[in-house]
Amino acid sequence: MTEFILNGNPAKLDAPAEMPLLWALRDVANLTGTKFGCGLAQCGACTVHVDGNPTRACITPLGSVAGKRVTTIEGLGAGSAEHAVQRAWQELNVPQCGYCQAGQLMSAAALLARNPAPADADIDAAMAGNLCRCGTYVRIRAAIHRAAQLARETAAGG
Amino acid sequence: MDGSRRDFLRLSLLGGGAMLLGIALPAAQAQTAAPPAPPPDPNLYVRIDPDNRITITTPRSEMGQGVRTSLAMLVAEELEADWRQVQVATLGLDARAGDQGTGGSNSVAGLYEPLRRIGASLRELLIAAAAARWQVPAGECAARDSVVTHARSQRSARYADLIEAAAKLTPNPAPALKPRAQWRLLGKPQTGKDCADIVHGRAGYGLDVRRPGQLYAQIERPRRFGARVASFDAQAALAVPGVKQVFALEPGPGNIAGGVAVVATSTWAAAQGRAKLAVQWNEQDAGSDDSAALAKAALTALDAEPAEAVNKVGDPDAVLAAAARVIRADYQLPFLAHATLEPQNATAQWSGDHLTVWAPTQFPGLAARGIAKALDIKPEQITLHITLLGGGFGRRINGDYAVEAALVARQAGAPVQVMWTREDDLRHDFYRPLAAHRFEACLDADGWPQALRHRQAGTPIGATYDRTGQRTFGAEEIEGAGNGFYRAPNRSSGYTALAARVPRGWWRAVHTTHASFAMECFIDELAAAAGKDALAYRLALIDTIPVPAPGQDSDYAFNPARMRACLRRAAELAGWGKPLPKGQALGLACAIDHRSYAALVLQVSLQERELRIHRATCVADCGLVINPDGARAQIEGGIVQGLSAALGEAVTLKDGAVVEGNFHQYRLLRLAQAPLHIDVQFIESDAVKLTGLGEPALPLAAPALANALHALTGKRLRELPLRWS
Ligand code: FES
Ligand code: FES
């Protein structure tokens, strides 16, 4: 049994501590938004936030998140306001098949949290671990710049 | 279902007052036994709920190419539906829908007329119902945003309130379609209908299917193609907590590889159990393919007379033999994997003798035929739902994963999801064939080709599916190279098939992924030999194709003017011939693929041998563009996937097995390597038939890049993936 905060709510998952967080989320908690692509920290599809840090859930044992805050795509921008990356992604119609996009969004959101105005090189570095087989990279880059702008506008407006 | 239905529209009342409109379009032509005809017109359903929401069910699989949006747009335009209130769904396998295969860039092209007719006839019915209710002429009524209005009397009615009356009217099978000038949706950029669900993690892919009591399975498949299970340690696997069952699967129908299935309460438990199997393989019938040896054999084959003479015009052999100088180049390309980011998977559930399958599949009919054969059941015992596909690219034409799920679920007696790991997926694909091309040419005094001889050798796709040894595959395999559109009075093409055990399949854009690399690099080489500009040389030589072009019927005859127009526009936009920043160069390529025309210019530099693609400029002509934003995305994605293959992808076979297991070995392009900008323009015309856009940009990326690198370094790279330094 592992206890942690999942998308803002206390959660208890009855699964072996060694089970990767990815499978605990998908098969035990039934949160299927976080995706499997490689199981080896090579593709980024499984990216979640653990205490705000972008983390590959496929190589993170469930037991290691005990007491921590885990945010998945379902918990990003949940509630009243969508996250700036979610707004920008829709504005620029980024997804093709969409399968990689949960991971892309989680990596992008973590980047913007540390660096509200990333340059192209910052984006290259932060997104290096996220593959997109459909080739949406050019739009991802543009959407991160756009999200940064949207976040600034929201901050200025509110 | 009665497959012979000829009624055009059929309405039925659902619970809660919703209306379901079933539309069966007559088949375009009688089905012939072989070869398989292109998909006949489909069925399609429009559902109007009491709250006036409209659900459009599309008869093609969504794999990122945007069909759920573009096909729904075709219906909604003519229906005058309120697009914001339109929801989309995917039609499951339906006997009335003909072959529902998704591929060949054919979804929008094939359904452009039928889907608009469906929307238009429903709109006419709704207007007629309103006119009758108000006792006014139908011609005075107008439909817009899911409401019919009569301006003169200021009356209006929502579609939901009209459909019951409309259902009693006789539909018009030949309704008037809206003129293009009145389009509100078509030709205007629309956000994907699945976009909001995707960015919130709500979109449902194959791996997201969850049934009550569902178990999770993995299958240990043979490393060597053709090996069979000899023995395994079931006890050790069953000792893992959560593992429920362990059993062997035979290779068989649906192209399944066989192996040992481990069924468990979670994906992780299945993986743990699988690791304990210690399977011993019977490798008596296993293949021993070696990709390096095959590549060599392909090159060697180019020295001999091709096994199959595919076409010939004039006497290229004599002209080349008499030539003072023959320009010759060999191009080599490896096997490729599809590497859809969602690995193969399917979920199956039996109740009594009825099977329900949820699968991310491009060809549900093929999957169902495989299931029926493997399990010896009738097609009517199978319900097949199509989930969203986390990428397709041709991999999911084969339905092997669905057959596996059906077999495993039957044995397990519970709903089961069969999941492939990345290693499973990379090692049991249907690979883009290995290919070698040789071009030989001689030029006349002005530098124009006098003779052009093409030879090709490789492992043909068709041999994976037709093992009779009776068929030849050259005519399809040489597409794009042996039937290129550059003028040469003497020309020929020949093909030599190499035997191999490794399964082959259709990889996005298919043959042109290697053929256009060879053709477009060689034409650059000829231009250089002639001392002419690569753009001007192409423009002067693009001509009608004097030899049969596969997949080209009279409706789609190659039009050199369209090819030249794409090339000219792309070159102009990219600043061809203008000064560039220091250390940068341009490369170009153009081709026709799946009946659409495209030209690409890449602007690149090498800094410390590190490649940077500053800009990609693509101009495409597919007739009309339905959703410009989605169309642009297909071009962008095609270019990036083509660059991925050009720069990093290769499948290695050793001793009959695939070496690469995960993305650290099978290297896909990453964000930093992608072009910084991609400019896309379309040349549109409604005077030609609409064609597809899912594939045509992809084959251009590798040759444009190789040509740019030549311009930059003076070095010709003729083997993919490209290696410099
Ligand atoms: S599934 Fe975790 S990085 Fe690929
Ligand atoms: S959108 Fe398909 S993998 Fe990224």
Side-chain angles (χ1 to χ4, degrees):
Chain A
M1 185 75 73
T2 301
E3 297 191 27
F4 59 107
I5 306 293
L6 179 53
N7 293 332
N9 301 310
K12 271 189 210 178
L13 289 192
D14 186 9
E18 324 83 80
M19 182 186 281
L21 176 62
L22 173 63
W23 303 118
L25 290 169
R26 290 184 53 84
D27 298 353
V28 184
N30 260 323
L31 286 180
T32 55
T34 306
K35 302 301 188 214
F36 167 81
C38 70
L40 268 191
Q42 292 292 320
C43 76
C46 65
T47 307
V48 298
H49 296 172
V50 177
D51 285 344
N53 299 313
T55 303
R56 310 294 183 223
C58 67
I59 53 156
T60 303
L62 173 62
S64 73
V65 303
K68 299 193 172 164
R69 279 182 303 118
V70 174
T71 306
T72 69
I73 186 69
E74 290 94 341
L76 185 74
S80 52
E82 288 184 311
H83 192 284
V85 291
Q86 289 166 319
R87 284 191 284 152
W89 249 243
Q90 291 175 83
E91 207 178 284
L92 299 187
N93 200 22
V94 172
Q96 289 188 28
C97 85
Y99 192 78
C100 72
Q101 299 294 343
Q104 307 279 5
L105 286 154
M106 297 308 283
S107 291
L111 165 65
L112 291 176
R114 327 187 277 283
N115 181 350
D120 276 346
D122 303 321
I123 295 174
D124 285 356
M127 304 302 290
N130 288 84
L131 289 174
C132 175
R133 183 47 152 167
C134 299
T136 63
Y137 295 130
V138 179
R139 290 192 192 209
I140 287 173
R141 183 191 297 285
I144 292 175
H145 288 306
R146 176 67 183 140
Q149 193 184 5
L150 285 171
R152 281 196 297 275
E153 284 169 15
T154 308
Chain B
M1 300 288 177
D2 176 3
S4 66
R5 286 203 79 93
R6 288 291 179 183
D7 50 340
F8 183 64
L9 284 170
R10 204 152 34 85
L11 294 134
S12 46
L13 258 177
L14 297 177
M19 300 296 306
L20 187 68
L21 173 69
I23 299 156
L25 289 172
Q29 60 208 138
Q31 285 273 45
T32 47
D41 290 353
N43 290 17
L44 176 139
Y45 303 95
V46 177
R47 177 189 163 123
I48 301 181
D49 277 296
D51 62 2
N52 220 25
R53 251 180 319 137
I54 298 179
T55 305
I56 298 174
T57 300
T58 60
R60 290 291 180 274
S61 301
E62 177 61 67
M63 48 189 178
Q65 82 285 41
V67 279
R68 299 222 305 176
T69 304
S70 52
L71 296 183
M73 284 169 70
L74 294 172
V75 178
E77 176 70 61
E78 292 292 342
L79 180 54
E80 293 288 2
D82 179 353
W83 181 244
R84 292 156 303 177
Q85 299 295 314
V86 167
Q87 298 179 325
V88 292
T90 302
L91 184 67
L93 180 63
D94 191 319
R96 295 166 302 169
D99 194 349
Q100 287 164 266
T102 305
S105 290
N106 195 42
S107 297
V108 171
L111 296 170
Y112 174 62
E113 290 280 338
L115 292 191
R116 286 187 303 145
R117 277 209 304 279
I118 282 164
S121 50
L122 181 51
R123 179 196 57 202
E124 284 188 359
L125 286 182
L126 292 161
I127 288 176
R133 177 183 296 175
W134 300 328
Q135 301 196 335
V136 298
E140 290 182 9
C141 298
R144 176 101 187 245
D145 287 341
S146 308
V147 173
V148 180
T149 51
H150 182 247
R152 205 158 46 80
S153 62
Q154 298 196 329
R155 277 177 292 196
S156 67
R158 304 176 320 144
Y159 284 1
D161 301 326
L162 292 168
I163 193 147
E164 200 172 339
K168 305 200 176 87
L169 305 173
T170 308
N172 174 6
L177 298 177
K178 291 169 69 176
R180 189 180 161 201
Q182 285 173 24
W183 283 354
R184 297 184 222 283
L185 280 174
L186 303 185
K188 320 253 180 324
Q190 309 295 337
T191 302
K193 276 289 180 192
D194 291 303
C195 190
D197 281 345
I198 288 168
V199 303
H200 288 283
R202 294 188 300 249
Y205 302 86
L207 280 174
D208 301 334
V209 172
R210 293 289 179 270
R211 307 298 306 164
Q214 174 175 318
L215 299 175
Y216 298 82
Q218 287 196 18
I219 298 171
E220 177 78 3
R221 296 175 192 77
R223 279 299 305 277
R224 291 177 67 183
F225 296 108
R228 283 165 183 263
V229 175
S231 68
F232 56 96
D233 190 346
Q235 290 316 314
L238 285 165
V240 170
V243 173
K244 298 268 195 187
Q245 287 185 58
V246 178
F247 48 86
L249 289 178
E250 284 295 308
N255 281 316
I256 67 166
V260 180
V262 179
V263 185
T265 52
S266 72
T267 309
W268 191 69
Q272 300 291 104
R274 177 182 177 182
K276 298 273 192 298
L277 282 173
V279 183
Q280 300 297 309
W281 300 100
N282 173 350
E283 300 191 327
Q284 223 167 16
D285 295 331
S288 50
D289 293 337
D290 181 293
S291 48
L294 281 166
K296 212 158 150 208
L299 268 188
T300 310
L302 298 179
D303 289 332
E305 200 57 41
E308 192 188 334
V310 179
N311 62 50
K312 187 170 173 181
V313 175
D315 193 350
D317 296 345
V319 176
L320 284 168
R325 181 182 172 208
V326 172
I327 301 155
R328 174 174 132 178
D330 294 346
Y331 302 90
Q332 289 178 270
L333 300 98
F335 290 108
L336 295 179
H338 295 83
T340 57
L341 204 58
E342 177 190 32
Q344 307 316 305
N345 69 88
T347 306
Q349 176 168 16
W350 285 85
S351 67
D353 62 1
H354 195 87
L355 170 70
T356 305
V357 177
W358 293 261
T361 183
Q362 290 178 239
F363 276 60
L366 199 58
R369 283 199 290 282
I371 291 170
K373 198 155 174 221
L375 284 86
D376 195 20
I377 60 175
K378 298 201 175 66
E380 41 290 11
Q381 288 172 264
I382 305 169
T383 300
L384 202 161
H385 300 287
I386 303 170
T387 64
L388 291 180
L389 283 60
F393 317 121
R395 169 62 181 88
R396 299 189 213 264
I397 292 173
N398 277 291
D400 45 332
Y401 39 86
V403 176
E404 289 177 343
L407 285 165
V408 173
R410 184 167 68 178
Q411 185 110 359
V416 178
Q417 178 165 97
V418 171
M419 190 205 82
W420 294 37
T421 63
R422 178 55 53 195
E423 289 77 8
D424 297 335
D425 195 82
L426 283 173
R427 290 177 176 150
H428 285 279
D429 198 347
F430 296 80
Y431 303 88
R432 199 288 302 274
L434 168 143
H437 292 258
R438 170 171 298 171
F439 275 111
E440 291 163 288
C442 58
L443 308 181
D444 66 18
D446 297 320
W448 307 116
Q450 273 298 97
L452 183 66
R453 184 163 65 196
H454 170 251
R455 283 179 178 175
Q456 183 181 335
T459 53
I461 294 173
T464 292
Y465 308 92
D466 183 329
R467 301 205 171 111
T468 59
Q470 303 301 304
R471 265 197 65 203
T472 55
F473 306 104
E476 51 200 63
E477 291 284 335
I478 59 101
E479 178 174 7
N483 58 0
F485 44 65
Y486 295 110
R487 186 172 49 247
N490 302 281
R491 57 187 285 168
S492 66
S493 178
Y495 183 74
T496 301
L498 302 178
R501 188 64 180 266
V502 55
R504 279 93 68 193
W506 304 270
W507 193 96
R508 191 177 184 182
V510 196
H511 312 295
T512 53
T513 57
H514 48 88
S516 291
F517 175 66
M519 183 78 254
E520 285 301 298
C521 287
F522 192 64
I523 199 72
D524 241 57
E525 300 204 32
L526 292 186
K532 293 185 197 291
D533 171 72
L535 170 67
Y537 197 67
R538 282 179 172 82
L539 287 172
L541 286 176
I542 292 170
D543 207 340
T544 43
I545 302 179
V547 295
Q552 300 261 341
D553 48 53
S554 53
D555 284 347
Y556 298 96
F558 175 72
N559 181 341
R562 293 175 71 188
M563 187 74 270
R564 284 194 292 261
C566 287
L567 190 55
R568 234 183 249 119
R569 175 88 66 89
E572 194 179 287
L573 289 170
W576 186 265
K578 301 233 172 76
L580 287 169
K582 198 171 169 302
Q584 298 191 8
L586 300 182
L588 66 77
C590 65
I592 178 169
D593 177 89
H594 288 85
R595 299 167 167 166
S596 289
Y597 301 75
L600 175 69
V601 182
L602 295 178
Q603 183 174 341
V604 310
S605 67
L606 284 174
Q607 283 142 17
E608 313 271 311
R609 283 196 249 113
E610 190 75 34
L611 174 72
R612 202 27 141 169
I613 302 170
H614 300 272
R615 186 171 293 276
T617 307
C618 187
V619 175
D621 175 355
C622 62
L624 283 184
V625 173
I626 295 305
N627 181 4
D629 196 60
R632 213 171 287 128
Q634 283 307 290
I635 299 282
E636 293 164 2
I639 292 169
V640 170
Q641 196 169 355
L643 289 171
S644 184
L647 289 168
E649 296 182 34
V651 166
T652 312
L653 287 159
K654 276 213 175 87
D655 199 21
V658 169
V659 173
E660 289 77 14
N662 213 310
F663 292 130
H664 60 298
Q665 295 164 319
Y666 193 77
R667 306 195 65 90
L668 303 184
L669 199 84
R670 291 181 184 271
L671 183 136
Q673 300 167 281
L676 283 167
H677 300 281
I678 300 182
D679 297 332
V680 181
Q681 278 205 10
F682 297 104
I683 295 178
E684 294 196 66
S685 160
D686 51 14
V688 296
K689 284 203 168 203
L690 188 150
T691 50
L693 269 185
E695 304 172 88
L698 190 148
L700 305 177
L705 181 56
N707 290 337
L709 287 169
H710 174 258
L712 203 59
T713 65
K715 230 179 118 186
R716 281 283 170 201
L717 301 173
R718 301 191 182 96
E719 188 177 349
L720 293 191
L722 300 171
R723 292 278 172 267
W724 56 91
S725 80

